[in-house]
């Protein structure tokens, strides 16, 4: 009878632990990146053999609980309004490093930049690790990148038609940027010299009334010749370094003999003004993309992801983080292939299946009731035995 009570107690203990695992899963239903666990059960040892050593009439010693296994089945994605909320579409986990230098991994991609420009986990405050252009591992940072220095103009591209019947045409609004980030508005004056050389134009780049560059634009069959398709000029702003320029007529400039249309204009100008950082996010490859107020974008470090060969190599730390129990079973690298891709503006929800948890809850409850009934029945039988002795 005592053995039966002990066996029943093993069931009570085991199902209580199983209930605790279910309770933890259910409580973390809305925890981003949470991964469910499942309690493992096994039967305990056995005894009983006859004189020949054969296992006859074996009697068990009840229930034994093993460890818990973590399910890394991917949870659903929920869209947010934060471009630094990230989710991994694949097997990878984000790599974190805390203040003590300990490395951990997470599927919870709720991140933010701190006052020093370091990308941190909102949940734990640990630094998010990445890879720089040389493949070195370090924190992802925008320190020193809050302002983008201006870039001087180097190429001005034109498009449109020069009427062969016109004597001259002026293209206004040739706005260029010098090395200090200051804008200057020039103009291009084209003078028809076909009376001396058929199909030719004199091109003067003007700063007000001052010529800062001169060249010749020649056409064959309505298209610029290869020798005159580009023109070099140097503009020197007052008190600034010279700005070498290339005027490019090669792509979409025409001059047709029967036409009277004169719509030559600036198609594009490179260079840009200095600007402040306006937005940060990550692309599908996990590359930091910094967008500035002038529309320019600059790429930064790439997210460092981790993945494992077997769930046995993973241990839960709490705070939505996991540790590598067997470093040899872990691999690190950027978002690609087996690591998966990054979705910005999304968070991964927990992978808790509430229907499954409630089903397991009923099983645990019935198992606990049955085990308690075993204890009660064995106790009643002992009481009956003791009462027989007292008679």
């Amino acid at each position: 009878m005592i053995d039966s009570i002990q066996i029943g107690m093993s069931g009570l203990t085991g199902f209580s632990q199983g209930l605790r695992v279910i309770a933890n899963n259910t409580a973390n239903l809305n925890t981003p990146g949470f991964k469910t666990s499942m309690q493992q059960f096994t039967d305990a040892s056995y005894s009983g053999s006859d004189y020949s050593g054969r296992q006859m009439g074996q009697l068990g010693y009840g229930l034994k609980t093993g460890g818990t296994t973590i399910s890394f089945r991917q949870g659903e994605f929920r869209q947010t309004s934060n471009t630094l909320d990230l989710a991994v579409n694949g097997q990878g986990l984000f790599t974190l490093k805390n203040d003590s230098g300990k490395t951990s991994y997470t599927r919870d991609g709720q991140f933010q930049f701190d006052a020093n420009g370091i990308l941190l986990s909102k949940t734990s405050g640990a630094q998010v690790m990445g890879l720089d252009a040389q493949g070195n591992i370090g924190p992802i940072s925008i320190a020193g990148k809050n302002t983008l220095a201006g870039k001087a103009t180097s190429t001005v591209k034109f498009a449109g038609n020069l009427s062969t019947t016109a004597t001259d045409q002026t293209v206004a609004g040739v706005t260029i940027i010098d090395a200090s980030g200051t804008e200057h508005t020039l103009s291009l004056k084209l003078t028809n010299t076909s009376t001396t050389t058929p199909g030719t134009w004199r091109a003067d780049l003007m700063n007000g009334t001052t010529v800062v560059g001169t060249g010749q634009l020649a056409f064959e069959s309505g298209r610029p010749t290869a020798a005159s398709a580009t023109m070099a000029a140097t503009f020197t702003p007052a008190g600034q370094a010279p700005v070498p320029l290339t005027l490019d007529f090669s792509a979409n400039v025409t001059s047709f003999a029967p036409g009277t249309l004169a719509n030559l204009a600036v198609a594009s100008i490179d260079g840009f003004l200095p600007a402040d950082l306006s937005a940060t996010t990550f692309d599908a490859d996990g590359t930091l993309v910094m967008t500035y107020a002038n529309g320019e974008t600059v790429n930064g470090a790439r997210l460092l992801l981790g993945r494992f060969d077997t769930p046995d190599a993973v241990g839960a730390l709490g705070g939505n983080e996991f540790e590598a129990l067997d470093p040899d079973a872990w691999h690190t690298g950027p978002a690609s292939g087996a690591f998966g891709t990054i979705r910005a503006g999304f968070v991964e929800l927990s992978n808790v299946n509430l229907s499954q948890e409630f089903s397991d809850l009923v099983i645990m409850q019935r198992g606990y009731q049955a085990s308690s009934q075993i204890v009660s029945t064995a106790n009643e039988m002992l009481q009956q035995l003791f009462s027989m002795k007292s008679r």
Side-chain angles (χ1 to χ4, degrees):
M1 299 303 174
I2 300 297
D3 288 344
S4 296
I5 292 176
Q6 291 176 340
I7 291 172
M9 288 300 297
S10 72
L12 293 175
T13 301
F15 290 121
S16 295
Q17 191 158 324
L19 179 62
R20 179 175 178 175
V21 174
I22 294 172
N24 187 60
N25 291 341
T26 306
N28 284 282
L29 176 65
N30 293 317
T31 302
F34 177 78
K35 299 303 176 184
T36 58
S37 298
M38 183 169 60
Q39 180 67 55
Q40 293 179 311
F41 296 105
T42 180
D43 50 349
S45 60
Y46 289 83
S47 66
S49 61
D50 63 7
Y51 62 89
S52 65
R54 293 179 298 171
Q55 297 294 329
M56 302 290 291
Q58 291 179 287
L59 299 175
Y61 282 92
L63 175 67
K64 185 177 180 181
T65 55
T68 57
T69 58
I70 303 175
S71 169
F72 279 91
R73 176 177 52 84
Q74 184 164 289
E76 295 182 359
F77 292 159
R78 181 180 67 191
Q79 189 170 9
T80 71
S81 59
N82 186 0
T83 58
L84 292 179
D85 283 339
L86 308 177
V88 180
N89 187 14
Q91 301 177 13
L93 293 88
F94 301 107
T95 306
L96 306 177
K97 183 173 287 188
N98 62 19
D99 292 339
S100 62
K102 179 179 175 59
T103 298
S104 59
Y105 304 90
T106 184
R107 293 283 293 194
D108 177 8
Q110 298 179 103
F111 301 139
Q112 64 182 1
F113 285 104
D114 67 5
N116 297 318
I118 306 297
L119 188 64
L120 304 179
S121 166
K122 287 183 180 179
T123 305
S124 65
Q127 296 179 345
V128 183
M129 306 306 289
L131 297 166
D132 63 16
Q134 290 72 41
N136 300 314
I137 298 175
I140 293 179
S141 173
I142 57 171
K145 301 174 183 177
N146 288 326
T147 301
L148 181 66
K151 178 183 177 183
T153 300
S154 61
T155 302
V156 181
K157 294 185 178 181
F158 294 86
N161 186 66
L162 276 170
S163 172
T164 57
T165 60
T167 57
D168 61 67
Q169 181 180 342
T170 299
V171 180
V174 183
T175 304
I176 69 164
I177 301 168
D178 65 23
S180 68
T182 303
E183 289 185 318
H184 303 271
T185 301
L186 309 182
S187 61
L188 179 67
K189 182 179 180 181
L190 293 148
T191 304
N192 195 336
T193 58
S194 297
T195 55
T196 56
T197 307
T200 60
W201 297 74
R202 175 187 171 90
D204 294 316
L205 184 63
M206 311 288 293
N207 178 23
T209 58
T210 303
V211 177
V212 298
T214 299
Q216 186 182 65
L217 180 59
F219 291 87
E220 289 183 357
S221 301
R223 299 288 180 179
T225 62
S228 67
T230 60
M231 167 185 158
T234 300
F235 169 59
T236 304
Q240 298 292 332
V243 182
L245 297 172
T246 298
L247 309 185
D248 189 347
F249 307 96
S250 61
N252 296 301
V253 175
T254 59
S255 181
F256 293 112
T260 58
L261 180 64
N263 61 356
L264 185 68
V266 175
S268 65
I269 301 176
D270 66 359
F272 47 82
L273 296 172
D276 292 332
L277 183 64
S278 60
T280 53
T281 189
F282 289 82
D283 64 15
D285 293 330
T287 301
L288 173 64
V289 179
M290 295 168 284
T291 302
Y292 292 85
N294 57 8
E296 294 295 318
T297 59
V298 176
N299 291 342
R302 295 183 69 181
L303 289 165
L304 177 67
L305 302 183
R307 64 178 180 86
F308 49 85
D309 295 328
T310 170
D312 293 337
V314 186
L317 292 173
N320 297 346
E321 295 181 14
F322 302 93
E323 64 178 335
L325 299 179
D326 180 8
D328 293 335
W330 278 82
H331 311 278
T332 58
S336 64
F339 291 96
T341 57
I342 302 300
R343 296 191 66 179
F346 290 83
V347 293
E348 181 183 358
L349 303 180
S350 75
N351 65 351
V352 175
N353 184 333
L354 202 55
S355 298
Q356 183 65 53
E357 298 299 327
F358 282 170
S359 298
D360 292 342
L361 180 62
V362 172
I363 294 173
M364 294 297 169
Q365 182 183 17
R366 295 308 180 193
Y368 192 91
Q369 289 176 337
S371 296
S372 64
Q373 187 64 43
I374 293 294
V375 175
S376 297
T377 301
N379 181 55
E380 291 174 1
M381 293 175 69
L382 280 174
Q383 288 179 343
Q384 188 173 12
L385 179 61
F386 293 151
S387 64
M388 289 175 59
K389 183 179 180 181
S390 63
R391 292 173 187 174

